[in-house]
Amino acid sequence: QVHVAESGGGLVQAGGSLRLSCVVAGRTDFSDAGGWFRQTPGKEREFIGSISRSSGRTNYADSVKGRFTITRDNANDMVYLQMNSLKPEDTAVYYCAAGQWWSDTVESSYVYWGQGTQVTVSS
């Protein structure tokens, strides 16, 4: 069993920053990928970025590249999403997920999911 739980969401003004945290713990032998997704009402879950927890390699969606950074701290079973230069269009529920391949970008490739944390960016 893999436990995934994200936190750190909140209300922030446009141009501001937030850091989301995600614990990925348990039997993670086949869950190298730490992924971040977001979802707004009426839309499918959108891939934001991912990281290989073993190598640290990352992959980002074009919409957040240069603004968001994913890191990991394996000693503490943590994956982080640092969000800078936030825009109102970044408003969404953000989800952390664990899967086998860090290069995957589709929701179905990730098996274990957190409960989501709300990020609201005001203009």
Side-chain angles (χ1 to χ4, degrees):
Q1 181 67 38
V2 177
H3 172 67
V4 179
E6 65 276 86
S7 61
L11 176 64
V12 63
Q13 188 173 309
S17 299
L18 280 175
R19 187 181 74 170
L20 305 184
S21 301
C22 175
V23 60
V24 181
R27 297 181 175 89
T28 59
D29 303 56
F30 301 98
S31 300
D32 183 60
W36 287 96
F37 294 76
R38 65 187 181 189
Q39 188 170 27
T40 57
K43 297 182 179 180
E44 294 185 358
R45 202 160 293 180
E46 175 190 11
F47 172 78
I48 300 302
S50 59
I51 189 168
S52 166
R53 297 191 298 113
S54 60
S55 72
R57 295 186 66 182
T58 54
N59 185 34
Y60 298 100
D62 289 340
S63 60
V64 304
K65 193 174 298 182
R67 298 188 299 122
F68 292 9
T69 303
I70 301 173
T71 57
R72 94 288 201 209
D73 178 5
N74 291 345
N76 293 294
D77 295 329
M78 299 297 293
V79 177
Y80 300 99
L81 177 64
Q82 177 67 46
M83 304 184 293
N84 299 325
S85 302
L86 283 163
K87 307 173 182 179
E89 61 211 67
D90 294 319
T91 296
V93 176
Y94 282 71
Y95 295 90
C96 181
Q100 185 172 357
W101 300 286
W102 68 273
S103 57
D104 285 348
T105 62
V106 298
E107 180 181 355
S108 60
S109 296
Y110 293 83
V111 178
Y112 305 99
W113 291 82
Q115 79 288 349
T117 185
Q118 176 71 47
V119 173
T120 302
V121 184
S122 62
S123 60

